[in-house]
Amino acid sequence: MADVGAHQVGEGLFGLLVQFARALRNSGIPVSASEEIDATAVTAAVDLTQRWQLREGLAAAMVKNPQHRRTFDVIFDIWFPSASGAPSTVDRQLRGDESDVDELRRRLTEALLRGDEDDLRRVAEQAVASLGRQSAGPGRQSWFSYRVMRQMSPETLISTLLADMLRRPDTDEPPSAMDEMVARATISDRTARFRRQVEAETRRRLVEERGADTVARHAVPALADQVDFLRATRDDLAELRRTVQPLARRLAARLAIRRRHPRRGRLDIRRTVRASLATGGAPVVTHFRPRRPHKPELVVLCDVSGSTASFAHFTLLLTRALREQFAKLRAFAFVDGCDEITRFLGPDIELPDAVSRLMSEARVVQFDGHSDYGRAFETFEDNWPDAVGPNTSLLILGDARTNFRDPGLASLKNLVSSARQAFWLNPEPRRHWDSGDSVAGQYAEVLPMVECRNASQLAHFVQQLLPH
């Protein structure tokens, strides 16, 4: 195991920790002064020649939220790299031509079969050294992980790996479906570990060339609750879905605290006047009526087309997780048709199944599959006229891009006038509203439109929507 670089200790480990803590704060991870002092104590308690001890010690002192650990690990790799220069495991004879790629893929196949972390790391280091360097402009070169993964193509090795993993030399019986499922999951997990090793080695090389501050500004992934819905990758969405339940629990806990300490209601004139008799008619002591929190009925109408689908799915999952906070929850989805999807959000349905069934069974596409807000509003108004009533909070999710079709303002005004309150959540940046086919400005004249680009903004809005 590589140790913490001697040059870092020479520059002052304390100063390095200060810069490391600043980088964590810049990424959104809260680090207090006392936690920074604890981190300094960690360096005296662990063996600095064992890098993993320093990583775990600093994580214990500075990370309070498990969802921040992924970002912490990336920043740790930037400020405390595993080595400097080319690793000793790199075979300098490889130069990245076609025969070298075949040799690297052979090594990768063996490493994926064994599943040993050190083997995967050595192959990743060799692959980055041989394939990761590329021109990044006139007279300039840089390191790229996507170039390495494209040439190594571990996904094309799946059939070979499956055949080796499922081979049974001592029996003629074919492997069961369960065996194949376990083998596929194992391969997927090891491939993901190899990808992370390649990304870590690429970042390390970039840090050596450009410096930690520069790389930290561009290579640190956003925290899960700060990921832009419209730019989220598949891994980001998986991480977001894992945050649904913890986020819902935190929101529910805050509401419970509010209910235990409710704000005062309206002035109780009768009790106040009666109490003033003891002070000669002066209302020294005032009494207020207890505040009765309203538990709203919620109707969610969401655009599930194209890029807004991930935003709509996450919002639906969050509102489903908070369903006990509402008197009634109904959900509807649309593209150029509209259908009720409440049945897919039952408490006994797993989250991935809910999303999968929503897309395959709901009749949300009836024509060309492009968003048609006007038709969707009219269909909703005609087919479910009683869905929105005086006790209903109406929540509309979408980017307000109508593909230059009728925006259906008349139907929208009818819906908003029937509801107790109505809001529109738009996942696009406000500066993009009213550009191209967006009619966000016209909709915003009918009901309040809120920019909602990440889970943090969504949680804040839902907290305001729920009863106080």
Side-chain angles (χ1 to χ4, degrees):
M1 179 68 69
D3 60 354
V4 177
H7 68 285
Q8 296 165 356
V9 177
E11 293 172 357
L13 186 56
F14 178 74
L16 194 62
L17 277 176
V18 171
Q19 297 175 43
F20 178 60
R22 186 187 305 128
L24 291 176
R25 292 191 192 98
N26 291 339
S27 72
I29 299 176
V31 179
S32 66
S34 61
E35 289 167 345
E36 209 167 338
I37 294 172
D38 291 343
T40 306
V42 165
T43 60
V46 302
D47 181 356
L48 292 180
T49 63
Q50 300 296 317
R51 184 169 172 265
W52 68 271
Q53 288 191 18
L54 181 63
R55 178 197 294 267
E56 299 304 320
L58 293 181
M62 307 173 90
V63 178
K64 299 176 286 296
N65 187 334
Q67 295 168 9
H68 295 170
R69 182 58 194 263
R70 176 185 169 209
T71 302
F72 170 89
D73 286 340
V74 172
I75 297 176
F76 181 88
D77 286 340
I78 290 174
W79 290 97
F80 300 94
S82 58
S84 59
S88 57
T89 57
V90 170
D91 184 351
R92 296 178 185 280
Q93 294 179 348
L94 297 182
R95 293 301 179 190
D97 56 22
E98 188 171 342
S99 60
D100 288 346
V101 174
D102 293 340
E103 170 63 15
L104 286 169
R105 281 170 54 83
R106 184 190 64 77
R107 294 184 190 180
L108 176 60
T109 303
E110 295 176 354
L112 290 174
L113 282 173
R114 287 192 293 270
D116 183 76
E117 194 73 19
D118 289 338
D119 285 349
L120 289 173
R121 177 177 54 80
R122 282 191 284 270
V123 176
E125 291 172 348
Q126 180 67 68
V128 172
S130 303
L131 310 173
R133 192 92 166 148
Q134 188 181 25
S135 173
R140 196 161 57 89
Q141 287 196 325
S142 189
W143 300 91
F144 298 92
S145 61
Y146 80 89
R147 186 171 187 271
V148 177
M149 296 303 297
R150 186 182 60 191
Q151 297 198 58
M152 296 294 286
S153 301
E155 63 277 5
T156 62
L157 302 174
I158 290 178
S159 58
T160 303
L161 294 169
L162 268 179
D164 285 343
M165 284 186 172
L166 298 176
R167 182 176 298 120
R168 293 181 170 184
D170 54 341
T171 178
D172 295 332
E173 293 184 5
S176 66
M178 178 61 74
D179 291 337
E180 182 174 343
M181 187 170 67
V182 171
R184 286 184 180 277
T186 302
I187 294 171
S188 176
D189 175 66
R190 293 175 182 176
T191 303
R193 285 158 50 195
F194 174 70
R195 180 181 295 105
R196 289 194 292 271
Q197 294 276 14
V198 169
E199 291 171 351
E201 176 65 11
T202 304
R203 273 196 303 272
R204 189 187 68 78
R205 296 284 188 141
L206 288 171
V207 168
E208 290 186 343
E209 289 188 355
R210 303 182 183 180
D213 284 325
T214 303
V215 175
R217 282 198 294 272
H218 303 287
V220 175
L223 299 179
D225 59 355
Q226 300 292 333
V227 171
D228 195 322
F229 287 123
L230 301 186
R231 298 181 180 179
T233 64
R234 187 171 57 180
D235 291 342
D236 292 332
L237 292 177
E239 182 67 24
L240 277 174
R241 291 193 182 101
R242 284 193 289 272
T243 67
V244 168
Q245 292 298 340
L247 182 60
R249 282 198 297 272
R250 286 200 299 275
L251 289 174
R254 290 176 191 169
L255 288 169
I257 293 173
R258 285 183 185 175
R259 287 175 183 144
R260 285 198 296 270
H261 305 285
R263 289 184 292 181
R264 293 181 297 188
R266 298 169 58 185
L267 179 67
D268 189 335
I269 297 177
R270 178 177 295 180
R271 292 183 61 199
T272 301
V273 170
R274 188 181 300 144
S276 70
L277 297 178
T279 55
V284 176
V285 180
T286 54
H287 292 272
F288 295 87
R289 297 180 185 277
R291 198 166 186 276
R292 295 189 176 91
H294 168 67
K295 213 171 184 181
E297 297 176 4
L298 180 65
V299 169
V300 183
L301 183 60
C302 54
D303 178 2
V304 294
S305 66
S307 58
T308 63
S310 57
F311 163 62
H313 294 168
F314 183 79
T315 306
L316 285 171
L317 296 177
L318 179 61
T319 51
R320 189 195 76 159
L322 289 166
R323 62 187 176 281
E324 292 182 357
Q325 308 298 330
F326 301 101
K328 188 177 183 182
L329 171 63
R330 296 183 71 180
F332 300 82
F334 67 88
V335 178
D336 54 11
C338 185
D339 194 8
E340 181 166 6
I341 57 172
T342 310
R343 62 187 183 279
F344 304 128
L345 303 176
D348 299 330
I349 301 177
E350 296 292 332
L351 300 184
D353 293 340
V355 174
S356 175
R357 291 186 60 193
L358 187 156
M359 296 306 298
S360 60
E361 299 180 25
R363 293 176 299 174
V364 295
V365 177
Q366 294 185 357
F367 298 99
D368 58 3
H370 294 94
S371 294
D372 190 337
Y373 283 75
R375 183 184 298 277
F377 291 151
E378 290 175 4
T379 304
F380 177 75
E381 190 180 20
D382 293 341
N383 293 349
W384 297 276
D386 300 328
V388 179
N391 294 323
T392 303
S393 294
L394 175 63
L395 191 61
I396 301 177
L397 316 176
D399 57 8
R401 294 196 174 275
T402 62
N403 293 301
F404 301 103
R405 293 169 173 168
D406 176 16
L409 290 173
S411 298
L412 179 62
K413 288 177 181 176
N414 291 337
L415 293 174
V416 172
S417 63
S418 302
R420 177 189 178 92
Q421 56 182 348
F423 299 94
W424 187 305
L425 301 187
N426 192 330
E428 282 197 340
R430 188 178 293 272
R431 64 180 180 278
H432 293 168
W433 294 5
D434 292 328
S435 64
D437 58 347
S438 171
V439 293
Q442 297 180 43
Y443 289 143
E445 294 177 356
V446 179
L447 75 170
M449 183 172 287
V450 180
E451 179 185 292
C452 186
R453 300 170 55 196
N454 54 52
S456 178
Q457 291 178 333
L458 177 61
H460 179 73
F461 173 80
V462 173
Q463 194 171 358
Q464 300 301 315
L465 180 68
L466 289 169
H468 288 57

